[in-house]
């Protein structure tokens, strides 16, 4: 979550697009949502 | 002075350990350099994960958490001017509770004192001794007198800056850390909640987090330069920055209010390994509970502040 949500001064435009794609994946993919949710509630 | 387990540090780890040991009939003494009022009011993390909620409840110290804490079944991710809900409970069967760390500390201190637990506040010159021998001990000063506390185990729950961690010999100790090139600017606000659930927002201006403390007090953060000075940030500038980062197309607005606390928190992820050393011929040991953390003490995986 840290990497996906913060802005990094040295991020290239490519990096920024990857970050946005990851966010899109998290909300559109049940597997990605579940991985984030499991991490967030401390499931493992 | 003698006990079974000497615990250095009355944070959540040290106090909970003392409580769990007590439930197993094991005696301990907790040593804390600060006073009770300080540890019960220092603002730290604000979110409890499911495992912590369960443990507090199962061991009889979860009543106030259940009554005063707010159970959250989801979070929101905001980016691209839209908000998206992650349904934690539907996805995992688990949830989180918004309940500040210092409230957990109040509950644990009360439970330990009610059970005649030994908590010594305002101790100084805390020095673990002979930790790799059969007779470990902790030397400390309390109310002007020097004491030697002998124990079967010495447990270091005094965190990143404490005296315990450096005592693990360097040849077996491995520190893993990342220091982030940003900090979190945190504010406490007198206002009603802006959202029923926490909002984690990504924006080209930087990350922000809309969290809550109670129906009347809100906790908000935004990514900042860790070397910035809070005096550079007027209330107006803070609200402008948060509103810019939370711009959206669904008509949602941040509820503003009186800002009564501002601070900048450095961010670090840190793990140390080899947390248990033992004399091969003895039952005595020294251990440091392992927990990745950032500078603020917030859980690394859910910076829910």
């Amino acid at each position: 979550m840290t990497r996906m949500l913060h802005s990094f001064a040295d991020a290239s435009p490519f990096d920024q697009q990857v970050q946005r794609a990851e966010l899109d994946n998290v909300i559109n993919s049940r597997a990605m949502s579940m991985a984030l949710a499991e991490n967030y509630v401390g499931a493992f | 002075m003698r006990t079974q387990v000497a615990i250095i540090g009355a944070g959540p780890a040290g106090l909970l350990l003392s409580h769990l040991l007590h439930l197993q009939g094991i005696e301990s003494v907790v040593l804390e350099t600060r006073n009770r009022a300080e540890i019960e009011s220092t603002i730290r993390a604000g979110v409890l994960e499911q495992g912590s909620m369960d443990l507090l409840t199962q061991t009889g110290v979860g009543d106030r958490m259940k009554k005063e804490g707010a159970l959250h079944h989801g979070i929101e991710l905001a980016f691209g001017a839209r908000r998206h809900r992650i349904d934690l409970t539907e996805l995992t069967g688990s949830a989180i509770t918004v309940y500040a760390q210092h409230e957990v500390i109040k509950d644990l201190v009360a439970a330990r004192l009610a059970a005649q637990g030994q908590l010594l506040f305002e101790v100084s010159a805390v020095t673990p001794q002979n930790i790799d021998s059969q007779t470990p001990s902790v030397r400390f000063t309390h109310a002007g007198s020097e004491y030697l506390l002998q124990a079967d185990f010495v447990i270091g729950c005094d965190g990143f800056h404490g005296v315990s961690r450096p005592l693990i010999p360097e040849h077996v100790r491995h520190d893993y850390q990342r220091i982030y090139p940003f900090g979190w600017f945190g504010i406490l606000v007198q206002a009603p909640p802006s959202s029923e659930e926490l909002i984690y927002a990504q924006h080209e201006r930087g990350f922000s987090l809309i969290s809550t403390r109670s129906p009347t007090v809100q906790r908000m953060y935004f990514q900042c330069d860790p070397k910035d000075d809070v005096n550079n940030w007027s209330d107006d500038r803070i609200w402008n920055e948060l509103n810019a980062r939370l711009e959206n197309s669904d008509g949602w607005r941040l509820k503003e209010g009186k800002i009564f606390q501002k601070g900048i928190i450095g961010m670090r992820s840190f793990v140390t390994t080899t947390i248990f050393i033992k004399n091969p011929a003895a039952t005595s040991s020294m251990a440091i509970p392992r927990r990745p953390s950032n500078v603020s003490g917030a859980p690394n995986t859910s910076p829910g502040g």
Side-chain angles (χ1 to χ4, degrees), chain B residues 61-79:
Chain B
V61 284
D63 290 353
R64 208 164 62 89
M65 170 194 74
K66 214 171 270 176
K67 202 160 45 179
E68 297 176 22
L71 187 65
H72 285 214
H73 294 286
I75 57 170
E76 294 198 350
L77 294 182
F79 61 96

Side-chain angles (χ1 to χ4, degrees), chain B residues 11-12 34 38-39 41-47 99-103 105 161 213 219 221 265 291 294-299 304-305:
Chain B
R34 301 194 300 159
E38 256 182 285
I39 67 164
S41 61
T42 303
I43 294 163
R44 303 268 193 204
V47 167
Y99 190 63
Q101 179 173 309
H102 64 270
E103 301 296 342
I105 284 181
H161 300 287
R213 279 290 149 94
R219 184 77 166 134
Y221 302 93
I265 305 154
R291 188 185 69 131
N294 63 33
V295 175
S296 73

Side-chain angles (χ1 to χ4, degrees), chain B residues 6-286:
Chain B
I7 298 172
I8 302 169
L15 290 168
L16 184 60
L17 174 63
S18 178
H19 175 62
L20 296 176
L21 290 171
H22 167 69
L23 296 178
Q24 299 291 323
I26 298 167
E27 182 189 79
S28 64
V29 174
V30 180
L31 304 175
E32 170 59 48
T33 56
R34 301 194 300 159
N35 65 42
R36 182 178 175 182
E38 256 182 285
I39 67 164
E40 290 187 344
S41 61
T42 303
I43 294 163
R44 303 268 193 204
V47 167
L48 294 174
E49 297 173 354
Q50 182 75 50
S52 304
M53 292 153 55
D54 292 345
L55 186 58
L56 294 174
T57 301
Q58 286 158 12
T59 61
V61 284
D63 290 353
R64 208 164 62 89
M65 170 194 74
K66 214 171 270 176
K67 202 160 45 179
E68 297 176 22
L71 187 65
H72 285 214
H73 294 286
I75 57 170
E76 294 198 350
L77 294 182
F79 61 96
R82 295 191 56 180
R83 290 181 296 149
H84 310 268
R85 183 165 191 263
I86 302 288
D87 190 330
L88 300 172
T89 302
E90 190 269 323
L91 290 162
T92 67
S94 297
I96 57 151
T97 295
V98 174
Y99 190 63
Q101 179 173 309
H102 64 270
E103 301 296 342
V104 176
I105 284 181
K106 282 183 203 169
D107 298 340
L108 290 169
V109 167
R112 292 307 298 126
L113 293 178
Q116 276 81 50
Q118 293 192 75
L119 306 182
L120 297 181
F121 295 105
E122 295 180 89
V123 303
S124 57
V126 176
T127 314
Q129 296 185 323
N130 305 320
I131 56 168
D132 56 353
S133 78
Q134 296 185 49
T135 54
S137 60
V138 184
R139 189 173 290 285
F140 65 94
T141 302
H142 185 239
S145 303
E146 200 175 285
Y147 297 90
L148 185 69
L149 173 62
Q150 294 173 306
D152 299 324
F153 292 85
V154 174
I155 315 287
C157 298
D158 49 347
F160 182 84
H161 300 287
V163 297
S164 304
R165 187 170 56 91
L167 296 176
I168 300 286
E170 271 185 30
H171 66 276
V172 295
R173 193 175 89 223
H174 301 281
D175 292 342
Y176 303 89
Q177 77 168 334
R178 172 175 290 169
I179 296 169
Y180 294 95
F182 46 74
W184 278 15
F185 197 112
I187 58 171
L188 282 168
V189 184
Q190 278 166 359
S194 291
S195 163
E196 282 184 18
E197 296 178 333
L198 275 59
I199 301 174
Y200 293 81
Q202 184 268 342
H203 190 274
E204 60 186 25
R205 299 182 68 92
F207 168 71
S208 55
L209 167 56
I210 306 305
S211 184
T212 183
R213 279 290 149 94
S214 75
T216 55
V217 175
Q218 310 313 315
R219 184 77 166 134
M220 304 179 190
Y221 302 93
F222 56 93
Q223 175 183 351
C224 68
D225 180 339
K227 295 191 191 73
D228 206 342
D229 183 339
V230 291
N231 295 314
N232 293 332
W233 289 83
S234 68
D235 292 8
D236 277 351
R237 188 179 172 207
I238 289 171
W239 292 121
N240 287 340
E241 188 62 36
L242 279 168
N243 281 314
R245 295 185 190 197
L246 292 157
E247 62 177 353
N248 64 86
S249 54
D250 57 11
W252 176 85
R253 280 285 294 177
L254 190 61
K255 289 197 175 76
E256 299 178 15
K258 183 178 170 7
I259 298 173
F260 63 96
Q261 206 247 13
K262 302 177 189 178
I264 292 175
I265 305 154
M267 302 300 285
R268 177 200 297 124
S269 295
F270 184 88
V271 176
T272 194
T273 60
T274 302
I275 56 168
F276 187 80
I277 57 174
K278 184 173 175 179
N279 180 324
T283 55
S284 60
S285 304
M286 166 149 173

Side-chain angles (χ1 to χ4, degrees), chain A residues 1-10 16 19-44, chain B residues 47 49-51 75 77 79-80 84 86-88 90-92 94-96 180-182 184 198 200-207 223 300-304:
Chain A
M1 264 178 107
T2 303
R3 195 170 43 82
M4 195 169 64
L5 291 169
H6 288 82
S7 297
F8 291 82
D10 60 353
Q16 290 165 6
Q19 185 183 37
R20 179 58 187 270
E22 284 178 356
L23 283 163
D24 283 331
N25 281 346
V26 161
I27 59 158
N28 291 314
S29 153
R30 184 172 172 83
M32 293 277 286
S33 295
M34 193 178 287
L36 182 136
E38 286 178 344
N39 200 3
Y40 191 88
V41 300
F44 299 102
Chain B
V47 167
E49 297 173 354
Q50 182 75 50
I75 57 170
L77 294 182
F79 61 96
H84 310 268
I86 302 288
D87 190 330
L88 300 172
E90 190 269 323
L91 290 162
T92 67
S94 297
I96 57 151
Y180 294 95
F182 46 74
W184 278 15
L198 275 59
Y200 293 81
Q202 184 268 342
H203 190 274
E204 60 186 25
R205 299 182 68 92
F207 168 71
Q223 175 183 351
N300 191 36
T301 50
S302 54

